[in-house]
């Protein structure tokens, strides 16, 4: 009995160091786990800080690049706008210059034609020099005025046909100033009235048309002049004068083609 008891005690004594060793190892293992966890937490925290810093740096770089691009885009747009304005202005200057050159060229052509015509006129009249005053201008023929008159009139008509209205108006005005009684004057008055009408100067156009019956009572252009004056008076709402001019065409020139046109316009007067 005692022997069995001794064996149990001996076994207990042998197991006690093993149990103590196991608890120590477990405690040491736990300490290492905690240390490892702490190092992992520290590493994760450091990695997180690093990533945040890199992210902030990247965001700052993106913002800086965006600001640079915005400034560049704005500067580029401003420069493009300035270039466009300069181009428009340049086109305007070029257009004005071209028109001025065309007008100058036309004026020079007109002057050259008049000079050449005067030379031919002087030569035909037997003049020795352009400055001589011994030669008399040729008399007006049945188809037109003198050579000088015809040249000036033709130049104005040419400008009108090419839609050079300023040059044409200046030419007809000069012609009527220099040759107010020319056989070509009634036609010149009709052309000048047309140009005045195109410019919106209807009152002046009416006065111009009325110069034809006033100065040339036997002219074949009277029906056209009176008819055009009547139409303009309708537009000006001067119905009494319009009726007077149109009825004059109808009563005085019943067979003229403008008589029928005058009847149509007369019917429009209230």
């Amino acid at each position: 009995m005692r022997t069995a008891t001794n064996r149990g005690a001996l076994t207990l004594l042998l197991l006690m160091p093993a149990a103590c060793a196991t608890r120590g190892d477990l405690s040491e293992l736990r300490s290492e786990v905690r240390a490892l966890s702490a190092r992992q937490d520290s590493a994760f925290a450091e990695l997180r800080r690093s990533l945040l810093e890199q992210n902030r740096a990247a965001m700052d770089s993106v913002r800086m690049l965006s600001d640079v691009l915005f400034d560049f885009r704005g500067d580029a747009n401003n420069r493009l706008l300035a270039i466009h304005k300069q181009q428009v202005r340049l086109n305007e200057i070029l257009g004005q210059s071209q028109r001025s050159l065309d007008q100058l060229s036309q004026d020079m052509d007109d002057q050259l034609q008049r000079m050449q015509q005067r030379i031919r006129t002087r030569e035909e009249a037997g003049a020795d020099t352009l400055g001589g005053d011994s030669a008399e201008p040729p008399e007006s023929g049945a188809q037109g005025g003198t050579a000088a008159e015809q040249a000036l009139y033709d130049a104005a008509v040419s400008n009108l046909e090419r839609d050079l209205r300023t040059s044409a108006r200046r030419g007809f005005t000069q012609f009527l100033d220099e040759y107010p009684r020319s056989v070509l004057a009634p036609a010149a008055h009709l052309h000048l009235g047309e140009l005045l009408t195109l410019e919106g100067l209807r009152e002046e156009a009416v006065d111009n048309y009325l110069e034809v019956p006033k100065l040339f009572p036997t002219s074949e252009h009277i029906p056209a002049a009176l008819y055009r004056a009547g139409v303009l008076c309708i537009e000006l709402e001067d119905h009494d004068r319009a009726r007077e001019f149109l009825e004059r065409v109808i009563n005085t020139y019943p067979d003229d083609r403008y008589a029928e046109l005058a009847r149509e316009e007369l019917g429009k007067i209230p």
Side-chain angles (χ1 to χ4, degrees):
M1 187 69 179
R2 180 175 296 176
T3 301
T5 302
N6 291 337
R7 287 180 180 175
L10 180 60
T11 301
L12 180 62
L13 290 174
L14 292 174
L15 291 175
M16 286 181 61
C20 292
T22 302
R23 285 196 296 270
D25 293 340
L26 182 59
S27 176
E28 183 179 355
L29 181 60
R30 288 177 177 173
S31 298
E32 291 179 358
V33 170
R34 284 194 294 270
L36 179 60
S37 178
R39 287 195 299 271
Q40 288 179 342
D41 291 343
S42 177
F44 282 132
E46 182 64 26
L47 179 60
R48 185 173 181 274
R49 285 194 299 271
S50 178
L51 290 176
L52 289 175
E53 291 177 357
Q54 293 178 5
N55 186 53
R56 283 195 294 269
M59 292 298 295
D60 292 340
S61 298
V62 170
R63 283 194 293 269
M64 291 178 60
L65 180 60
S66 178
D67 292 341
V68 171
L69 289 175
F70 181 79
D71 294 340
F72 176 78
R73 185 181 301 170
D75 183 61
N77 288 337
N78 291 335
R79 292 190 179 186
L80 287 175
L81 181 60
I83 292 173
H84 176 70
K85 289 182 178 179
Q86 292 176 358
Q87 184 178 9
V88 171
R89 178 56 180 163
L90 179 60
N91 290 337
E92 291 177 353
I93 294 174
L94 289 175
Q96 293 173 357
S97 300
Q98 185 62 46
R99 287 192 294 272
S100 299
L101 288 174
D102 292 342
Q103 186 63 54
L104 179 61
S105 176
Q106 182 59 47
D107 292 343
M108 291 179 66
D109 289 342
D110 293 344
Q111 292 177 7
L112 180 61
Q113 290 178 5
R114 289 196 295 270
M115 183 175 293
Q116 290 174 342
Q117 187 61 49
R118 288 172 183 172
I119 292 174
R120 287 194 294 270
T121 302
R122 293 291 186 178
E123 289 176 348
E124 292 172 359
D128 295 331
T129 62
L130 289 176
D133 56 0
S134 59
E136 295 293 334
E139 296 182 357
S140 302
Q143 300 301 322
T146 65
E149 294 174 18
Q150 190 70 52
L152 184 57
Y153 175 83
D154 290 343
V157 171
S158 177
N159 287 332
L160 178 60
E161 292 175 346
R162 288 186 290 176
D163 203 30
L164 299 175
R165 298 180 184 179
T166 301
S167 297
R169 180 182 175 185
R170 184 165 57 245
F172 288 121
T173 301
Q174 179 183 353
F175 177 86
L176 292 172
D177 288 342
E178 295 183 9
Y179 309 106
R181 294 290 183 174
S182 170
V183 294
L184 298 172
H189 277 293
L190 292 182
H191 289 310
L192 183 57
E194 178 184 353
L195 290 167
L196 292 171
T197 302
L198 290 174
E199 294 179 16
L201 304 174
R202 290 178 291 189
E203 288 283 3
E204 294 183 22
V206 171
D207 294 339
N208 175 77
Y209 285 135
L210 294 180
E211 289 294 300
V212 177
K214 176 181 177 182
L215 299 177
F216 306 92
T218 60
S219 174
E220 61 181 1
H221 296 293
I222 292 178
L226 290 173
Y227 168 77
R228 294 182 182 181
V231 171
L232 289 177
C233 285
I234 292 177
E235 295 178 2
L236 293 169
E237 297 185 355
D238 189 349
H239 296 150
D240 290 340
R241 295 180 73 200
R243 187 177 290 105
E244 174 189 348
F245 299 147
L246 295 175
E247 287 179 348
R248 185 174 171 184
V249 175
I250 296 170
N251 296 331
T252 308
Y253 308 95
D255 297 329
D256 192 275
R257 65 189 184 94
Y258 282 100
E260 183 61 31
L261 296 175
R263 292 187 186 92
E264 294 179 3
E265 293 297 327
L266 194 61
K268 299 178 183 179
I269 300 176

